[in-house]
Amino acid sequence: MKLRKIITLTEDIHTEGGRPVDPIARTAVVLAVIENPWAGQGYVTDLLPGIDEIAPQLGELLAPRVVEALGAPVEAYGKAAIVGLDGEIEHGSALIHTLKFGDHFRKAANATTLLPAVEKRAVAGGAFDIPLKHITDATIRSHHQSIEVRVPDGPRADEIVIGLAAASQGRPQARLAPLASEQ
């Protein structure tokens, strides 16, 4: 894996809807900007060798960092793969849609649900939203949220931005009825 940089972001929401948020709602994001191992090769039929090599390294690198940055138990989580213009969306998907990547975060967060994801192709500096859902029950509406992020100088055409996001709670001031109330 050819890593260019790691970015760590946190957001603390103190007030929402004109009311204090107690406890403060924290979200953390960790992004790795890596060289796309398949860029410039044309259509690559077998992505597995790259997946086997890079996905576990990324999971091992990012999962503990995002949990540490959050500084609280993880209640919601998500992932992202943003591919530069010389790559395919499938290149990013290959790295994040494997247990070799996601299980690192599941274990670090004591989670059991699938990680929601965003995958897209974008120019450097393109904004993207990482979706988050509850770590053990994806039907808990209060934890359906997203965080917008961007890397000002990435992904370059031959790069992929891989990210993990975690939240310490659901949306600030969440008040939707549980899904069960409609079933």
Side-chain angles (χ1 to χ4, degrees):
M1 175 175 71
K2 294 182 181 174
L3 176 69
R4 182 163 66 88
K5 67 178 177 177
I6 298 173
I7 301 153
T8 303
L9 309 164
T10 58
E11 176 181 83
D12 292 326
I13 299 175
H14 294 260
T15 305
E16 180 73 21
R19 301 180 71 152
V21 174
D22 185 25
I24 294 166
R26 173 168 271 205
T27 307
V29 178
V30 176
L31 305 165
V33 182
I34 66 166
E35 181 179 283
N36 181 340
W38 302 286
Q41 297 180 34
Y43 183 85
V44 177
T45 303
D46 185 6
L47 301 176
L48 191 56
I51 293 168
D52 286 344
E53 177 187 347
I54 297 169
Q57 291 179 55
L58 284 167
E60 188 175 329
L61 175 70
L62 298 178
R65 286 177 183 254
V66 72
V67 171
E68 181 181 344
L70 187 64
V74 176
E75 286 193 18
Y77 67 165
K79 60 187 174 183
I82 311 305
V83 180
L85 297 181
D86 287 349
E88 299 174 38
I89 294 171
E90 187 71 3
H91 297 162
S93 295
L95 295 176
I96 66 169
H97 290 304
T98 172
L99 297 177
K100 296 168 187 176
F101 173 76
D103 273 355
H104 290 278
F105 198 10
R106 270 185 217 74
K107 288 176 187 165
N110 296 312
T112 56
T113 59
L114 293 175
L115 278 153
V118 61
E119 310 98 310
K120 69 185 255 183
R121 185 180 299 114
V123 298
F128 54 95
D129 293 341
I130 302 176
L132 294 99
K133 296 206 185 276
H134 194 275
I135 62 168
T136 61
D137 184 349
T139 68
I140 296 177
R141 288 180 172 169
S142 60
H143 288 61
H144 295 193
Q145 56 189 314
S146 61
I147 183 162
E148 182 178 347
V149 293
R150 68 183 199 85
V151 178
D153 67 343
R156 294 176 181 163
D158 64 346
E159 292 180 331
I160 304 174
V161 175
I162 301 291
L164 293 178
S168 62
Q169 63 188 60
R171 293 183 313 279
Q173 316 298 11
R175 50 197 180 274
L176 294 177
L179 180 63
S181 69
E182 294 181 26
Q183 295 176 330

